[in-house]
Amino acid sequence: MRVDLDTAGEDLQALPRFQQAAVHARRLFALALGSGLLAALLFLLAILIGLFAARSPWLPLLCNNAAALLLLAAAAQSAWRVDAWRARALGQEPSLRWFGGRETADEPLAPEALSAYDRFLDSIGRGIRSLLRRIGPGALWLAGLCVAALLMIRAGWSLALPGADLGQAAYIGAGLLLLGAFGLLVLERHFAASGEAQWPEAAALAPLLRLVIAVQLLSLPGLLFASADNLWPVRLLVLLGLLPAAVAVELLARAVFSAFLPQREREEPRLVARSLVAGQLRWPPRPLQFLQDELQQRFGIDLRQVWAFAFMRRAFLPVVALVALVGWLLSGIHEVPLDGRGVYERFGKPEAVLQPGLHVGLPWPFGRVIAVENGVIHELATSGDSAVADPPGPADGPAPDSANRLWDASHRSEKSQVIASAAEGKQSFQVVNMDVRFVYRIGLDDAAALAATYNSADVPALIRSTASRVLVHDFASRTLDGVLGGEREALAQDIGKAVQADLDELHSGVEILATVVEAIHPPAGAANAYHGVQAAQITAQALIARERGKAAEQGNEARL
């Protein structure tokens, strides 16, 4: 029960918490100062590391540990105020007055000795001091330190950090963390063993000590298992900041709410830095213990005597286990959508191809269903750049670039290919651009579904590689003039049959529905030259035909 010096008639010397108040105040001051300086040192080291290696795993580790130590310092300074008030109540003025201790009142000057401007500033200063006195310096210190802890955590928060090999420094850091955790564990056991009557604040500070110990111990796997190939140690070091962040938010809320409580200098202050989140760092966790204690202390309601709550406490674990068991059994119910199929595996072995609907099998991981397409049609270009689609435009706007089929324009979906040719009676080759597309789907029978699931890791890549090989082989026996003319339709059929034959030989389960040659022409840079050659050939053939006609006409005239 809190003491009010104006109404209390009991002897304060007889109360155990007042007898050792000065000693406790000195210990808390040393704890707050030591943890605060250590937090500042760790954060300064994190800043230095961030200047030279901004993506180092040391950055979140140092920031999170510094934030946890700063929260311990915030709680220690809040408890120091309570013990310092008790010491002053007994006339034992504590020698340490940091963290905004008692202020010495300055002798006010006579108003006539001040100018109008000085009187204005003096009135503002007295108003600010009065406001701070009503709020209390303890709430301001607690809120400020919690905000600083949140900023530290934010400085080290980055889920995009890559894995890194820390080398021997990781073992040195792990050793220092273990050494610090051992020292804090001894201190935590001392605080936890202190009686409620002798030192009420010790029980509230023990969870904050466990918070620092938990952050240090959970940082060890991130250090010892850190490597360039593993990302989870770095993610662990970053996500570990959520624990001190939750405690900082809770203490910040308590500090803000405590500012609205009346502050009386003659009444024993209450400890604000109590954390429910940090209090759960115990085994077994008791999330409702604080609520139960408050109800019993304030209203005399003991929830342990209520039959319903006792039954809920006894039935909690069995109910949770039953729900988990039912949820695990329900994982054996699989839904196959209307546009899909599913390959059911039992103990890793495919058993059947499931059609759309609900199916019951063994729960995970003994049974699972692998999704397979059911009649979904795809269009694939032989060029890898075809995945880059044109941005959609308005219906009445200009056509997209992919619709431009002029030879002097380049297209992302086209691929260069070498084709045979003949020049001056000699064999040669030419380079052409072409856009060949395949329309395919996974076969509709069960064998095709199984083949596509287990024999083809990447169906589009398989079709592209097969088509590229077929095109190289097929174009070696064709000429550019031929594929630009009447052989174009036969070219599409031959390519489709050859690709389908290769895919069937590989047991891919893919069915080629159509092969479309969208475009085939010389490269864009050589299109004009090709047109010129064609025009010259046409002109030459026309001249030859005209001269032959003249020769025939003159021959006929000579015979007459």
Side-chain angles (χ1 to χ4, degrees):
M1 184 177 180
R2 297 166 60 192
V3 173
D4 191 345
L5 298 180
D6 294 332
T7 59
E10 55 185 337
D11 185 12
L12 298 181
Q13 291 284 357
L15 298 177
R17 67 177 184 273
F18 280 84
Q19 296 173 0
Q20 300 292 326
V23 178
H24 294 161
R26 287 193 292 269
R27 293 178 180 177
L28 291 174
F29 180 84
L31 176 62
L33 184 61
S35 56
L37 291 178
L38 186 56
L41 180 62
L42 292 179
F43 188 64
L44 179 61
L45 183 59
I47 293 176
L48 294 178
I49 293 177
L51 293 177
F52 299 99
R55 300 175 66 83
S56 173
W58 288 104
L59 189 61
L61 183 142
L62 293 173
C63 290
N64 294 337
N65 282 271
L69 288 171
L70 193 61
L71 292 176
L72 177 60
Q77 69 85 24
S78 180
W80 172 83
R81 296 182 182 281
V82 180
D83 284 304
W85 185 92
R86 294 181 186 137
R88 287 193 296 267
L90 294 179
Q92 303 173 358
E93 187 70 24
S95 58
L96 303 173
R97 294 188 179 181
W98 286 21
F99 310 118
R102 293 182 60 186
E103 299 177 355
T104 57
D106 298 332
E107 295 183 2
L109 298 176
E112 57 273 5
L114 300 175
S115 62
Y117 180 72
D118 292 336
R119 287 195 298 271
F120 174 72
L121 294 180
D122 183 64
S123 62
I124 294 178
R126 282 183 292 178
I128 294 176
R129 286 194 297 270
S130 176
L131 178 62
L132 293 179
R133 193 178 300 111
R134 286 196 298 269
I135 295 177
L140 296 178
W141 271 95
L142 183 60
L145 293 177
C146 290
V147 171
L150 290 175
L151 293 178
M152 289 181 179
I153 297 172
R154 179 64 184 87
W157 183 271
S158 178
L159 292 176
L161 290 179
D165 190 2
L166 302 180
Q168 295 295 329
Y171 296 98
I172 298 176
L176 293 177
L177 287 177
L178 284 175
L179 184 61
F182 178 76
L184 291 175
L185 180 61
V186 174
L187 186 60
E188 188 271 338
R189 288 292 86 196
H190 172 69
F191 276 57
S194 300
E196 181 72 19
Q198 287 78 15
W199 198 359
E201 292 73 34
L205 290 177
L208 274 302
L209 288 168
R210 290 196 292 268
L211 169 68
V212 181
I213 296 173
V215 172
Q216 292 177 345
L217 293 181
L218 292 177
S219 300
L220 292 178
L223 283 178
L224 298 178
F225 296 98
S227 65
D229 300 329
N230 293 331
L231 289 178
W232 70 264
V234 182
R235 298 292 184 269
L236 175 63
L237 293 177
V238 175
L239 295 176
L240 193 57
L242 295 176
L243 183 58
V247 177
V249 170
E250 180 191 1
L251 294 182
L252 179 60
R254 288 178 177 271
V256 172
F257 292 147
S258 67
F260 297 95
L261 296 177
Q263 304 289 335
R264 295 181 62 245
E265 295 184 359
R266 302 283 294 175
E267 185 180 9
E268 183 180 7
R270 59 170 58 89
L271 180 62
V272 180
R274 296 179 181 270
S275 175
L276 290 177
V277 177
Q280 303 310 311
L281 298 176
R282 54 183 299 179
W283 188 259
R286 298 176 180 176
L288 300 180
Q289 183 68 33
F290 176 79
L291 177 61
Q292 178 177 324
D293 295 341
E294 288 293 324
L295 289 176
Q296 185 175 4
Q297 181 179 359
R298 294 179 179 272
F299 305 103
I301 301 176
D302 189 2
L303 297 180
R304 291 172 295 185
Q305 303 300 325
V306 180
W307 175 85
F309 287 100
F311 174 76
M312 291 173 58
R313 184 172 61 252
R314 291 193 302 269
F316 178 75
L317 290 179
V319 170
V320 170
L322 179 61
V323 171
L325 178 61
V326 172
W328 178 67
L329 293 177
L330 289 177
S331 65
I333 299 178
H334 307 281
E335 179 185 3
V336 180
L338 293 177
D339 58 346
R341 292 172 289 177
V343 177
Y344 175 66
E345 289 185 351
R346 181 184 300 165
F347 296 102
K349 179 182 178 181
E351 294 291 337
V353 177
L354 306 180
Q355 299 302 318
L358 289 177
H359 302 273
V360 180
L362 294 179
W364 182 89
F366 306 110
R368 67 168 185 164
V369 174
I370 303 176
V372 185
E373 296 176 354
N374 187 15
V376 180
I377 298 177
H378 303 272
E379 183 183 14
L380 179 69
T382 55
S383 174
D385 296 336
S386 61
V388 183
D390 293 320
D396 55 348
D401 295 337
S402 60
N404 182 8
R405 290 303 176 186
L406 296 178
W407 287 9
D408 57 353
S410 299
H411 305 87
R412 289 192 299 264
S413 59
E414 292 182 349
K415 181 179 180 181
S416 298
Q417 185 69 43
V418 177
I419 190 171
S421 66
E424 298 179 356
K426 298 180 181 180
Q427 292 185 352
S428 180
F429 66 90
Q430 291 178 330
V431 178
V432 296
N433 288 354
M434 62 179 180
D435 183 4
V436 181
R437 297 176 181 268
F438 295 92
V439 180
Y440 72 95
R441 68 182 178 186
I442 304 299
L444 300 180
D445 56 345
D446 294 348
L450 293 173
T453 302
Y454 297 101
N455 298 338
S456 303
D458 189 351
V459 172
L462 176 63
I463 296 176
R464 284 197 182 98
S465 62
T466 304
S468 298
R469 185 174 63 254
V470 169
L471 288 174
V472 171
H473 183 270
D474 190 89
F475 272 53
S477 60
R478 299 179 186 271
T479 61
L480 180 60
D481 294 335
V483 297
L484 292 178
E487 297 182 8
R488 183 164 178 171
E489 294 295 333
L491 173 65
Q493 296 179 2
D494 294 343
I495 292 175
K497 292 179 181 179
V499 172
Q500 183 66 68
D502 288 354
L503 293 176
D504 292 341
E505 185 178 355
L506 295 173
H507 302 285
S508 62
V510 179
E511 180 182 356
I512 302 296
L513 300 178
T515 304
V516 181
V517 180
E518 290 284 347
I520 182 168
H521 57 82
N528 294 330
Y530 183 80
H531 289 162
V533 171
Q534 283 186 323
Q537 290 178 351
I538 293 173
T539 302
Q541 292 176 359
L543 290 176
I544 293 174
R546 186 177 63 182
E547 294 300 327
R548 286 178 178 176
K550 288 183 179 181
E553 183 180 357
Q554 292 177 0
N556 292 333
E557 291 178 354
R559 292 190 187 96
L560 295 176

